[in-house]
Amino acid sequence: MRPIAIMAAMQEEMVGLTSALSDARTINNGSRQFTTGTVHGQPVVLVLSRIGKVAAATTATALVERFDVSAIVFTGVAGGLASGVNVGDMVVASEFIQHDMDASPLFAPLEIPLYGRAVFPTDAGLTESLRAAAQGLLNNLSQWVDRDTLHALNVQSPKVHSGLVLSGDRFVSTSAESQALQKRLPLALAVEMEGAAVAQVCHDYDVPFAAVRTISDRADDAATTDFSRFIHEVASRYTSALMGAWMASRRG
Ligand code: ADE
């Protein structure tokens, strides 16, 4: 059975998941540490991509070339853009755009040169199963994250959203930049720094891809503080609970 890859950008987003692995084995390849093992009896490869599109793309390429993964799932945090996408919500990506790609006037703004497209969709089946797992997690969130922590982060009745996610090599941390992105791409729910790069690699190799992000901040003037608190206090619990539930649901 070919393994499923689970990627995250940062250690804090992955720790819980690594400890849930059986038969864990570590393999170093190209400055990345890949951990193989099983979760609920299914083979997986866990890896930290590090941060940004290039780091994510090289990691995804190694997953395909060296580990022959059957699918890649990216998990971690993102900044909320659209109104109503708040800290503690989850966003399941239906498609990605690299918001910082601009080879105009040679190509249309946002279009990836020589691909004839700006938008890379995720795999519909994987995405739906992640959405269902995310909804299940939020229905019982207090089981995973204590109420005082949620209260301190001002997380109230968190929701699951599904739609467009933007990626770029920028941590968006001013209200002005966030508003400019929303004006330019009004359908965008959230912004992060890796997903669109992995979507492009998966498109190149015809490997199914899906991504789910927990909203750690609103990509505004308070983003840096909110991001740090969320990453340290709850990100790993969200991720490990979600991925554990999702792998359990795949057992069938
Ligand atoms: N990941 C989490 N928050 C982010 C933000 N505000 N900008 C880019 N990537 C993020």
Side-chain angles (χ1 to χ4, degrees):
M1 198 173 173
R2 290 163 70 204
I4 292 223
I6 301 177
M7 290 174 82
M10 296 171 70
Q11 183 67 27
E12 290 86 344
E13 297 164 323
M14 190 63 105
V15 278
L17 212 53
T18 314
S19 54
L21 211 61
S22 308
D23 311 317
R25 200 174 137 234
T26 299
I27 299 161
N28 291 307
N29 187 78
S31 299
R32 299 287 183 279
Q33 197 172 71
F34 296 81
T35 308
T36 63
T38 57
V39 175
H40 295 296
Q42 299 161 79
V44 295
V45 187
L46 308 183
V47 63
L48 293 180
S49 62
R50 304 191 182 173
I51 298 169
K53 290 185 297 177
V54 173
T58 56
T59 312
T61 306
L63 283 169
V64 176
E65 292 276 5
R66 167 108 202 243
F67 294 90
D68 191 29
V69 296
S70 60
I72 298 181
V73 171
F74 204 107
T75 178
V77 297
L81 287 178
S83 67
V85 180
N86 296 315
V87 172
D89 287 2
M90 299 186 112
V91 171
V92 183
S94 60
E95 53 193 9
F96 279 98
I97 289 178
Q98 293 183 30
H99 68 81
D100 55 354
M101 173 58 77
D102 186 356
S104 63
L106 302 178
F107 297 89
L110 300 174
E111 182 177 323
I112 309 295
L114 310 182
Y115 283 71
R117 58 160 77 206
V119 178
F120 287 79
T122 55
D123 179 82
L126 280 181
T127 298
E128 172 50 28
S129 65
L130 277 181
R131 196 205 54 73
Q135 189 61 62
L137 172 77
L138 291 190
N139 291 345
N140 295 295
L141 190 58
S142 54
Q143 213 177 303
W144 306 102
V145 186
D146 71 75
R147 283 176 204 281
D148 290 347
T149 307
L150 293 173
H151 188 71
L153 294 165
N154 202 20
V155 174
Q156 296 153 357
S157 23
K159 295 180 185 55
V160 179
H161 310 267
S162 186
L164 172 65
V165 174
L166 307 182
S167 309
D169 288 319
R170 299 182 58 76
F171 183 77
V172 180
S173 58
T174 64
S175 303
E177 188 172 351
S178 165
Q179 278 160 21
L181 278 177
Q182 286 172 66
K183 200 165 164 206
R184 190 161 172 230
L185 291 157
L187 292 179
L189 299 178
V191 62
E192 38 86 311
M193 301 179 69
E194 297 85 18
V198 180
Q200 186 175 333
V201 171
C202 287
H203 170 84
D204 284 340
Y205 286 95
D206 199 19
V207 169
F209 172 59
V212 58
R213 296 275 188 166
T214 309
I215 300 302
S216 55
D217 58 82
R218 281 281 306 162
D220 56 10
D221 295 335
T224 311
T225 320
D226 292 348
F227 171 83
S228 304
R229 280 183 76 190
F230 197 90
I231 267 283
H232 291 123
E233 289 168 32
V234 291
S236 83
R237 279 180 244 169
Y238 259 81
T239 307
S240 56
L242 175 67
M243 287 293 112
W246 180 68
M247 291 300 290
S249 76
R250 290 176 56 83
R251 247 182 336 200

